[in-house]
Amino acid sequence: MTKLGAVFRPQLAPERLPAVAGAANDAGLAELWLWEDCFFQAGMASAAAALAGTDRLRVGVGVLPVPMRNVAMTTMEIATLERLFPGRFIPGVGHGNQEWMAQAGVKVASPMTLLRENLAAMRALLRGERVTTDGRYVQLTDVALDWPPASAPPVFVGATGPRSLRLSGEAADGTVLDASSRPDIVRRARALIDEGRATGGREDRHELTVYLHAATGPDASARIQAELARWNEPPVPEYQDGVSAKTVAAAVRAVADAGADTVILQHTADEPDPEGFVRFVAEEVRPLVS
């Protein structure tokens, strides 16, 4: 069965997160995803706050930009959250927006190499291994976690291009696609991920998580249209006659049929009622998807 979740977008003030996470938890929503977009909110701090205020909600960060983060410190943070909240934290990493990386003074010549080196070191450390590596960007000498997690959490990659999708299949445990991903893009992404998995000899499970634009309320359709226009994205066919729980559920099913394991509904940047949005996802959309 397709899992359903929602996003807490960083355009909302950080102090609103506890109430939204609590509403999602109480409504029985499976997952709440956060973004570490520059220069809004820190992903790990936000994830810790959401996890601490809930008791069953899974919290993902999609994604942490690896150019801004030391791999040893990021892995320590992941391990800490996994030990504190076993099975409820989903870490995602990615290249980061290259313009933002340049703003922060951390843009690298080869984002692919940096991501590959980060994934290799991170996943080894989370497995409790002692790591020494002298890569182009990642250098570690005899590093091991003193408090590794009892079970290594899956590490996701946010990817769009063919090379990144293949790398995710080869070297990560899951992939996150952004909300511009219509079913044809999801099918293509799944095929590229599978190519990477074959290259890496991977036979374990690889979960595909896909964001999907959604909204609720009397102005839902207008806000979705404005959101799509802002990013110059194609329309969501299921929304041509309006945005409602029924049409959102139909759009979820289309993405799931194309290969998504989890669909995360993404509210608009100007969402007036984020608590109401997560309840809408859990209480109105989820029954129609199930």
Side-chain angles (χ1 to χ4, degrees):
M1 184 177 71
T2 304
K3 289 183 291 185
L4 199 61
V7 170
F8 176 88
R9 289 183 61 169
Q11 287 83 4
L12 300 172
E15 55 269 26
R16 300 198 68 174
L17 175 57
V20 175
N25 186 78
D26 293 345
L29 197 64
E31 297 181 4
L32 183 70
W33 280 72
L34 314 171
W35 298 353
E36 190 170 73
D37 275 2
C38 299
F39 296 94
F40 288 101
Q41 302 170 29
M44 290 299 198
S46 298
L51 288 162
T54 57
D55 59 6
R56 58 180 177 270
L57 184 70
R58 296 186 78 206
V59 176
V61 177
V63 294
L64 304 163
V66 295
M68 296 187 69
R69 294 179 151 273
N70 175 274
V71 67
M73 179 58 73
T74 300
T75 310
M76 289 166 58
E77 292 178 315
I78 293 171
T80 299
L81 289 179
E82 176 60 28
R83 290 184 69 100
L84 287 169
F85 310 101
R88 292 210 292 130
F89 179 52
I90 313 165
V93 297
H95 300 302
N97 179 293
Q98 295 306 296
E99 182 178 346
W100 293 339
M101 298 303 100
Q103 278 186 276
V106 294
K107 185 177 179 179
V108 299
S110 178
M112 286 289 296
T113 301
L114 174 62
L115 184 56
R116 180 180 291 276
E117 291 180 359
N118 267 261
L119 285 167
M122 183 178 294
R123 294 180 69 241
L125 290 169
L126 289 171
R127 291 193 298 265
E129 299 175 16
R130 186 169 296 276
V131 177
T132 295
T133 184
D134 185 19
R136 181 175 179 182
Y137 298 110
V138 174
Q139 293 93 34
L140 298 174
T141 303
D142 198 31
V143 174
L145 298 178
D146 286 290
W147 293 103
S151 179
V155 177
F156 283 54
V157 162
T160 54
R163 294 176 64 207
S164 297
L165 288 163
R166 291 189 186 98
L167 175 60
S168 184
E170 179 184 350
D173 305 302
T175 302
V176 182
L177 301 182
D178 65 31
S180 66
S181 304
R182 302 296 175 262
D184 59 327
I185 295 175
V186 175
R187 282 189 288 269
R188 177 171 172 269
R190 177 64 87 176
L192 290 164
I193 291 165
D194 287 343
E195 288 179 17
R197 286 169 56 76
T199 298
R202 301 288 296 271
E203 296 183 354
D204 52 342
R205 175 176 170 78
H206 188 103
E207 185 165 331
L208 182 56
T209 294
V210 181
Y211 293 137
L212 174 66
H213 292 292
T216 185
D219 60 346
S221 297
R223 285 193 289 114
I224 287 291
Q225 290 177 1
E227 187 83 10
L228 294 173
R230 177 186 179 191
W231 298 109
N232 194 28
E233 290 185 17
V236 179
E238 291 78 11
Y239 296 168
Q240 64 178 4
D241 294 326
V243 180
S244 64
K246 182 178 179 179
T247 59
V248 171
V252 170
R253 289 193 296 269
V255 172
D257 289 345
D261 298 298
T262 302
V263 180
I264 304 299
L265 298 184
Q266 176 179 310
H267 61 75
T268 59
D270 59 350
E271 171 57 55
D273 181 14
E275 293 90 346
F277 179 78
V278 297
R279 286 191 289 266
F280 164 74
V281 176
E283 298 170 0
E284 298 184 45
V285 178
R286 185 178 57 177
L288 299 178
V289 172
S290 301

